[in-house]
Amino acid sequence: METAAKSASICPAKVSEILAKYSRRPDALVSILHDVQKEAGYLSEEAITEIASGLDIPVSKVYGVATFYTLFSTKPKGQYVIRVCENAPCHVLGAKAIVEALEKELGIPMGGTTSDGKFTLEYTSCLGVCGVAPAIMINEAVYGNLTPERVPLILKEYK
Amino acid sequence: MAMVTIDGRKVEVDAGTTILNAAKKLGIDIPTLCHHPDLAVQAVCRICVVEIEGQKLLQPACAFPVQDGMVVYTNTPRVRQARKVNLELLLARHPQDCLQCVRNRSCELQALAERFGMREIRFEHKLRGLPEDHSTPAIVREPDKCILCRRCVSMCHDVQAAGVLFPSRRGADTVVTPVFGRGLDEVACALCGQCIHACPVGAISERDDTERVWQALADPNKHVVVQTAPATRVSIGEEMGLPPGQIITGKLVAALRRLGFDKVMDTDFTADLTIIEEGNEFLKRLKEGGVLPMITSCSPGWIKFGEHFYPDLLKHISTCKSPQQMFGALVKTYYARKAGIDPKDIFSVSLMPCTAKKYEADRPEMCDSGYKDVDVVLTSRELGRMLREAGIRFEDLPEEEHDDPMGISTGAAAIFGATGGVMEAALRTVYEVATGSELPKIDFEEVRGLKGIKEAQVKVGDLDVRVAVAHGLGNAKKILDLLREGKANYHFIEIMCCPGGCVGGGGQPIPTTMEIRGIRGNALYEADRGLPYRKSHENPAIKQIYAEFLGEPLGEVSHHLLHTHYTPRQKYPSVAKAVCGEAAG
Ligand code: SF4
Ligand code: SF4
Ligand code: SF4
Ligand code: FES
Ligand code: FES
């Protein structure tokens, strides 16, 4: 069976505050998850359990919703989150080669986080810069017209 | 009312009826997979699609309501083609291990493949390689076989209120799983096995313990004893090809002897014993101002659910062990002594309708005889497998009787297997023990039947005893929540984990639907009517065991062998905790 995440980064008291803000309404689950993620960076097992207990709904359901939406993460993320666009225009213009280059350079598979906690690699949908496809985003910065050769150079700025 | 035309024939049905049910009225059997008659509509598999005149898209018959004047086609080339593609897509990521699968010949997916004449699958065959869950002694999960129909989710949340299984992730990555992908051993699972009845395929099943029983039967140094639970005498027939509701007690005993069991005794005997102990416990609580209402304790799925979700209410639960465990404790003490057999040589098997009983038998406290009281629990389905493997055919069997000294039982014990039965059996005895006079009417109709929560009031001497009966954990939850709020105004509550009671247990033959649960239950009431003794305290074998061994109800020996305690458990799995420095400082 999968093991628990090693560290949890939000205190139950803080989760409780967020729950109170939504009057502990089960129908506000998605907003609550949003707020907790914003606070903690991700949704830890402890946070998910606290939310289930606070809303008095099954914890399996909270986990189900937390894993359903791609904008939520149940794993801690790196300091820099690299998002690779996976939509058609980027795909056609070579996103796959970019992913391979990133995976090779960082030594992690898609969806993973480097062991030093620095980088997380994930897919995202259209970044709205299809004109410069293929494109990626590192935190808030967008990089377009990418080639596999440029990948190490860009990453260097963050290392 | 709505008049609809299906495949050229007209039928009138209530407005809002699904196309599926309207077609059924015309004798048209539209294929389904994610649909289950007792569960919420899922409409995810699209095996049931049909063509509706004036609609561009095919629609799922299981979810689509009819309208007046609607014209439906259930068997056009387009419909057949769409169904086949949907099935092929499912099969492309399915193990297709039918020959080695526990659901071989009882699987709805396999039946569909046969029905559609699937001879080739045009998509690449690719398995997901998801890990199996063998973490509990009761239930096995094989997520690679899961077709994501969500029937188990509806069962576990809506009917059983345990909320264990839920889909996580999305699209092709979806898995139906306990929270955080943990094993069932780490979550608040009752191990009721109702998800097995919900599942159309082999993705959830009981742990198979037949091999351990075969080995014991083949071991000349083992004296192998089997007990037969009340509900199995009206269900094993289904494993042997008979329709539901056949009372096959005598043939079952004969079949077990043919398999090689040295003694075939009866859980019904210890069901009677439970009534004596529990009835006296209830009267004692009444007299001495003990904790009331008292709740019955013979359903181990309910006990585990209670330990997880209502640890604050455990003192309400009768301390009586379940009949299975009473039998186990006695077979290696009372019986061993009487038969002159060293208890270490006794191998005690129980035939149960229940998966939770496998867990119960493994609880560390269930060793009061000095040995493991029940060595192996076999569900009805496992025994069916053994009987078929041995080539035993019911039609050739004579009717035989259970062995002494734990073989005689009453009608009160038989009805233990149906919801309301334990309460009725208890009332028959409590009334007569408390008042010393004979019950004017022995049948308590108010507590029978499949209504979720049943109530009754019975005058016992000067006291109006108020009782309630709940079956299925969702119904139990309603009563327990009232109790927690101090609003459950009862003296005595019966809770059975499984819908319909043990006749609908998670180890019973497949299929087990609400309709079949009802049929099996009625058969138990019929068995009750046909028995010479119908009140537990009139059972001569019970009188004998008190005279020879136990002394008196709630006495020293009973306390040691027949009563138990409960353990508060977590509602949530354990998780890593945040270090909250600021909060502490
Ligand atoms: S689940 Fe059904 S289709 Fe799948 S391998 Fe088992 S019997 Fe065959
Ligand atoms: S055994 Fe019962 S409680 Fe456990 S997952 Fe299945 S339905 Fe839910
Ligand atoms: S485990 Fe069975 S019932 Fe549950 S979703 Fe999968 S196939 Fe359906
Ligand atoms: S498709 Fe990649 S940015 Fe729009
Ligand atoms: S049976 Fe209708 S969509 Fe599955």
Side-chain angles (χ1 to χ4, degrees):
Chain A
M1 295 299 110
E2 289 171 30
T3 47
K6 272 158 232 66
S7 71
S9 63
I10 187 167
C11 295
K14 186 73 206 167
V15 175
S16 204
E17 235 172 73
I18 294 170
L19 290 170
K21 179 175 148 201
Y22 293 95
S23 324
R24 294 177 183 263
R25 281 193 347 261
D27 60 354
L29 178 59
V30 173
S31 312
I32 291 166
L33 289 171
H34 218 114
D35 285 13
V36 171
Q37 164 139 325
K38 208 158 154 204
E39 188 71 31
Y42 78 109
L43 300 167
S44 66
E45 294 189 344
E46 187 188 26
I48 287 172
T49 308
E50 287 292 325
I51 293 167
S53 150
L55 300 179
D56 196 21
I57 58 176
V59 65
S60 63
K61 200 167 181 173
V62 180
Y63 178 69
V65 174
T67 55
F68 182 81
Y69 294 103
T70 44
L71 84 168
F72 295 136
S73 171
T74 53
K75 290 198 197 94
K77 286 202 181 164
Q79 185 186 352
Y80 301 109
V81 180
I82 307 175
R83 296 190 170 85
V84 184
C85 168
E86 61 172 346
N87 283 71
C90 285
H91 185 78
V92 171
L93 290 169
K96 195 160 168 242
I98 305 299
V99 171
E100 279 163 11
L102 283 164
E103 287 179 333
K104 190 167 150 245
E105 198 61 27
L106 298 170
I108 51 169
M110 192 55 168
T113 298
T114 54
S115 55
D116 61 1
K118 205 136 188 199
F119 294 100
T120 295
L121 189 54
E122 56 185 38
Y123 278 121
T124 185
S125 47
C126 181
L127 296 168
V129 293
C130 319
V132 295
I136 66 170
M137 236 175 131
I138 301 184
N139 288 359
E140 304 302 314
V142 176
Y143 298 84
N145 287 325
L146 283 179
T147 58
E149 293 70 38
R150 275 188 65 206
V151 165
L153 301 174
I154 293 172
L155 287 181
K156 227 169 158 179
E157 297 171 33
Y158 294 89
K159 278 187 177 162
Chain B
M1 296 301 272
M3 182 68 86
V4 283
T5 310
I6 304 180
D7 298 343
R9 288 189 291 147
K10 284 197 177 352
V11 64
E12 199 177 28
V13 291
D14 289 334
T17 308
T18 60
I19 295 175
L20 179 70
N21 287 333
K24 212 167 269 167
K25 271 189 104 175
L26 286 169
I28 300 169
D29 175 25
I30 296 175
T32 56
L33 189 54
C34 68
H35 175 267
H36 186 287
D38 306 333
L39 299 172
V41 173
Q42 305 292 337
V44 292
C45 76
R46 299 192 59 85
I47 291 296
C48 66
V49 287
V50 294
E51 235 177 301
I52 303 171
E53 237 174 57
Q55 298 240 2
K56 267 226 308 272
L57 299 176
L58 299 180
Q59 297 292 352
C62 69
F64 208 86
V66 298
Q67 278 158 24
D68 197 39
M70 193 181 257
V71 180
V72 180
Y73 299 96
T74 75
N75 188 26
T76 62
R78 191 173 157 221
V79 161
R80 284 198 303 272
Q81 168 75 11
R83 288 178 184 163
K84 267 200 176 161
V85 169
N86 290 337
L87 192 58
E88 275 179 277
L89 285 168
L90 284 175
L91 292 174
R93 33 191 271 157
H94 189 85
Q96 302 175 33
D97 277 345
C98 305
L99 286 183
Q100 294 110 292
C101 181
V102 63
R103 290 295 289 271
N104 192 5
R105 304 190 66 213
S106 68
C107 171
E108 294 179 35
L109 183 61
Q110 189 190 44
L112 280 178
E114 193 277 333
R115 177 169 168 181
F116 288 0
M118 299 301 284
R119 294 294 174 266
E120 60 160 351
I121 291 150
R122 288 162 297 173
F123 307 107
E124 189 195 352
H125 191 218
K126 219 170 157 190
L127 294 185
R128 303 175 67 192
L130 297 167
E132 295 181 0
D133 179 356
H134 294 272
S135 64
T136 71
I139 290 178
V140 175
R141 291 175 48 248
E142 297 173 68
D144 257 8
K145 288 184 180 163
C146 173
I147 53 151
L148 304 177
C149 69
R150 294 154 198 238
R151 282 161 43 163
C152 60
V153 176
S154 171
M155 179 61 91
C156 189
H157 287 250
D158 310 341
V159 180
Q160 292 300 70
V164 169
L165 299 170
F166 202 80
S168 77
R169 311 214 275 275
R170 61 156 67 202
D173 289 331
T174 310
V175 264
V176 172
T177 167
V179 68
F180 310 136
R182 303 285 181 94
L184 286 174
D185 63 333
E186 290 190 59
V187 300
C189 168
L191 297 174
C192 66
Q194 290 304 315
C195 47
I196 300 173
H197 287 312
C199 187
V201 296
I204 316 178
S205 57
E206 67 286 351
R207 185 180 77 182
D208 188 302
D209 290 314
T210 54
E211 197 44 50
R212 288 170 63 208
V213 177
W214 285 125
Q215 271 173 24
L217 289 171
D219 184 343
N221 300 318
K222 288 262 178 271
H223 182 77
V224 191
V225 176
V226 64
Q227 52 168 317
T228 58
T232 58
R233 68 207 61 215
V234 293
S235 67
I236 293 294
E238 292 161 57
E239 286 292 328
M240 306 309 284
L242 299 175
Q246 308 290 309
I247 306 168
I248 44 78
T249 321
K251 285 186 186 266
L252 174 60
V253 173
L256 289 164
R257 286 212 181 95
R258 299 278 189 291
L259 275 184
F261 286 99
D262 296 299
K263 289 284 171 193
V264 182
M265 294 195 271
D266 206 348
T267 317
D268 280 24
F269 167 79
T270 37
D272 279 328
L273 190 58
T274 301
I275 288 303
I276 305 301
E277 291 290 324
E278 193 164 292
N280 279 285
E281 180 186 357
F282 176 62
L283 290 171
K284 185 166 180 232
R285 287 190 190 214
L286 268 181
K287 203 179 316 149
E288 296 176 5
V291 178
L292 289 173
M294 185 175 91
I295 311 177
T296 58
S297 57
C298 29
S299 166
W302 138 235
I303 295 298
K304 189 157 187 284
F305 177 82
E307 289 175 332
H308 284 294
F309 291 95
Y310 297 92
D312 50 319
L313 300 182
L314 295 180
K315 56 191 182 306
H316 287 272
I317 305 177
S318 159
T319 59
C320 286
K321 284 183 186 171
S322 71
Q324 157 171 290
Q325 293 305 142
M326 285 197 183
F327 187 101
L330 290 172
V331 78
K332 294 191 183 183
T333 53
Y334 171 64
Y335 169 72
R337 194 177 306 173
K338 245 178 125 74
I341 300 169
D342 187 336
K344 81 168 174 15
D345 296 330
I346 295 180
F347 192 83
S348 124
V349 176
S350 73
L351 169 62
M352 291 288 142
C354 179
T355 47
K357 289 223 163 68
K358 287 181 183 269
Y359 172 84
E360 181 187 40
D362 278 6
R363 292 172 73 120
E365 63 270 26
M366 294 302 174
C367 296
D368 286 332
S369 64
Y371 302 86
K372 191 161 184 271
D373 295 336
V374 173
D375 290 293
V376 173
V377 177
L378 285 179
T379 59
S380 305
R381 293 192 292 273
E382 290 164 274
L383 180 71
R385 249 167 256 154
M386 293 181 74
L387 294 175
R388 292 193 295 274
E389 186 169 355
I392 292 169
R393 301 196 330 183
F394 258 40
E395 54 272 35
D396 303 336
L397 290 176
E399 311 249 341
E400 294 181 6
E401 305 253 305
H402 283 96
D403 287 306
D404 287 335
M406 301 199 284
I408 298 178
S409 64
T410 70
I415 60 174
F416 253 64
T419 165
V422 176
M423 183 57 74
E424 180 165 345
L427 289 174
R428 289 179 190 175
T429 288
V430 163
Y431 181 93
E432 299 200 350
V433 170
T435 63
S437 52
E438 200 180 324
L439 250 185
K441 183 167 173 283
I442 167 168
D443 296 321
F444 290 86
E445 306 280 351
E446 313 91 291
V447 295
R448 298 185 180 182
L450 292 179
K451 202 173 140 217
I453 295 174
K454 295 165 279 187
E455 293 174 313
Q457 198 153 319
V458 182
K459 205 157 188 73
V460 178
D462 304 329
L463 184 70
D464 274 321
V465 176
R466 288 183 306 277
V467 305
V469 170
H471 59 115
L473 294 172
N475 292 318
K477 181 179 192 302
K478 288 181 198 151
I479 291 197
L480 293 163
D481 286 341
L482 283 180
L483 180 54
R484 197 176 251 168
E485 291 164 31
K487 290 186 199 148
N489 193 15
Y490 307 111
H491 297 98
F492 197 1
I493 300 170
E494 176 199 296
I495 292 181
M496 287 293 151
C497 169
C498 294
C502 306
V503 287
Q508 288 285 61
I510 289 170
T512 288
T513 58
M514 221 47 204
E515 189 189 351
I516 293 174
R517 295 172 206 259
I519 294 172
R520 293 181 193 143
N522 290 342
L524 286 179
Y525 288 108
E526 189 187 324
D528 168 29
R529 282 192 298 276
L531 283 167
Y533 303 105
R534 296 185 62 198
K535 299 168 192 161
S536 299
H537 54 283
E538 293 178 349
N539 181 339
I542 292 287
K543 291 180 186 159
Q544 187 185 3
I545 195 174
Y546 277 108
E548 287 179 6
F549 185 70
L550 292 172
E552 50 172 2
L554 308 182
E556 183 78 34
V557 187
S558 290
H559 178 77
H560 176 59
L561 291 178
L562 308 182
H563 290 258
T564 188
H565 59 272
Y566 308 106
T567 311
R569 293 175 204 276
Q570 301 290 325
K571 186 164 158 188
Y572 302 112
S574 46
V575 295
K577 302 272 191 224
V579 187
C580 297
E582 286 155 20

